[in-house]
Amino acid sequence: MLSFSRSLPLPPLADLLDSAHVVSLPMRVTFRGVTERETVVFRGPAGWGEFGPFPEYGDAEAAAWLRAGIEAAWQGVPEPVRDRVPVNATVPAVPAERVVDVLGGYAGQVHAVKIKVAERGQSLADDVARVAAVRHLLPDAELRVDANAGWDEDDAVTALSALSEFRIAYAEQPVASVEGLASVRRRLREQGVGTLIAADESVRKAEDPLAVARAGAADLIVVKVAPLGGVRRALDVVAQAGLPAVVSSAIDSSVGIRAGVALAAALPELPYACGLGTLSLMTADVTAEPLRPVDGFLPVRDVAVDEALLAEHAITGARRDWWLDRLRRTHAVLAAQ
C-alpha cells in the first residue's frame, strides 16, 4: 500500500506543479535505450524531491515514485548511522573496447563494478568479453552482473557458469519470476557455481516484495528508493526480508541519488557497495556539485539544486506537458488510496 500517513500527508497538486521543473539530462552512454534522462524535480518544505519513473511504467507503478519524491521534499530523510557509503561503478552493455572509457568516468579507485549483461540483440560472447575487460582492468575489484531478467532459466545457468571464471560475487535478477530465481540458484549450487543471486525487479516491481525471501529465491535483495515508495518504506522491506541489501539508483539526478544515499546511510548493516554512482554515466545534473563517487565512496550530504542548471536543461513544449500530466495522474492515484 502507498497510502499516506499523518506523518506524511499528500500535498496539494498545485504545490507540486508550482515548484516542478521538467529536465532532460544527457547520458554519457546509452542506458536502457536512451541517451537523455528525463525527470521532474520539485521543492517542498524539507527540500527537493524527484519524480522520474521510466516512460513505459503505468500510473499505478509510477505512483510509488511520486510518493518517494514527496517524502524527500515534505518529510526529509531519516537520521544516518554512517557519514559515507561505498558505491560500485556501473558498466552498461557497451562493447568490450569501450569499458576503459566508461570506467574512466569514475574518480579515484574503483572497488566494485556492476556490469550489464543479457542485453537484447547481444550474445553471451558479448557479455563474456565485457566482463573479461572489466576483470582485466580491475583484477581485485568485486564484480557483479545485472541481467534485468533478460535470460530464461537454462540461459541463465549457462551464462553464469561461463562468467564464474571472472569471480562474480552475485547476479542481479537473472530471470523474471521468483520461481525461476529459486531454480537458477539451486541449479548453480548443484554445479558448484558459487555466484550469489540477487533479486531486483522481483522486489521493487512486485505487489509482495517479501515473496523472494519466503521462497528462498535469493541470497540478497536490491532496493531502490523510488520504486519502493520512499526511504522509510524501503527500510521496512529490508527489515522484513531479513536478507542483505544492496541500495541502487534508478538513473536519477543528484536529488534522487541523495534519497538513495539516505537509505544506505540509515541501514543498520551495509555489506555491499551500493549502485548509486550512476551520475558518472551522465554529462549533466541539476546541481553544480553532483553526488559522484570519489575513491569508491559517496558522502552523506544534502544537495543544493541550481536554478541556472534547471533552466539550462529544462524541457519545454509537448514533452513538458506529458510529464506534468503524468504527475497529475499519479497524484490522483495517491489521493484515491
Side-chain angles (χ1 to χ4, degrees), residues 63-332:
W65 298 59
L66 182 56
R67 190 193 189 285
I70 289 171
E71 179 195 56
W74 263 261
Q75 190 175 15
V77 299
E79 284 296 315
V81 299
R82 53 185 64 84
D83 59 10
R84 66 175 189 168
V85 298
V87 297
N88 63 251
T90 299
V91 173
V94 297
E97 59 269 20
R98 291 202 59 195
V99 165
V100 64
D101 295 329
V102 173
L103 292 177
Y106 293 85
Q109 294 182 314
V110 174
H111 306 287
V113 185
K114 179 169 76 172
I115 307 158
K116 291 292 184 179
V117 293
E119 183 83 354
R120 187 182 299 274
Q122 295 188 10
S123 67
L124 176 55
D126 296 318
D127 293 338
V128 170
R130 185 180 311 113
V131 174
V134 176
R135 177 53 77 204
H136 175 73
L137 291 167
L138 298 170
D140 299 321
E142 179 195 88
L143 304 189
R144 66 279 298 261
V145 296
D146 184 5
N148 288 123
W151 290 315
D152 62 27
E153 290 181 32
D154 289 342
D155 287 342
V157 172
T158 298
L160 294 176
S161 297
L163 293 171
S164 65
E165 68 170 291
F166 303 108
R167 308 192 313 278
I168 305 301
Y170 65 82
E172 287 188 27
Q173 201 72 40
V175 297
S177 71
V178 172
E179 296 78 10
L181 289 176
S183 175
V184 169
R185 183 169 178 256
R186 184 189 69 252
R187 291 171 62 182
L188 288 175
R189 298 301 175 272
E190 290 172 351
Q191 295 185 18
V193 176
T195 302
L196 302 179
I197 299 299
D200 181 2
E201 287 89 344
S202 289
V203 174
R204 63 182 171 88
K205 300 186 77 169
E207 291 186 10
D208 180 4
L210 303 178
V212 166
R214 286 197 297 269
D219 301 286
L220 57 149
I221 58 174
V222 179
V223 289
K224 299 178 181 178
V225 169
L228 290 175
V231 173
R232 291 166 180 82
R233 291 189 180 275
L235 286 169
D236 186 56
V237 167
V238 173
Q240 291 187 57
L243 292 172
V246 178
V247 180
S248 192
S249 82
I251 317 301
D252 309 300
S253 76
S254 280
V255 172
I257 295 294
R258 169 66 180 106
V261 170
L263 170 58
L267 283 169
E269 303 291 338
L270 194 65
Y272 293 97
C274 304
L276 297 171
T278 50
L279 279 171
S280 296
L281 302 176
M282 304 166 76
T283 61
D285 197 6
V286 297
T287 175
E289 298 181 344
L291 277 172
R292 292 181 176 170
V294 175
D295 289 330
F297 288 89
L298 279 174
V300 178
R301 64 170 174 84
D302 289 329
V303 170
V305 171
D306 189 309
E307 295 287 342
L309 290 173
L310 291 177
E312 179 181 346
H313 299 293
I315 297 177
T316 59
R319 286 303 294 173
R320 179 179 185 273
D321 294 343
W322 184 88
W323 275 101
L324 294 182
D325 186 56
R326 194 182 194 196
L327 191 152
R328 293 185 185 95
R329 298 196 312 270
T330 51
H331 184 275

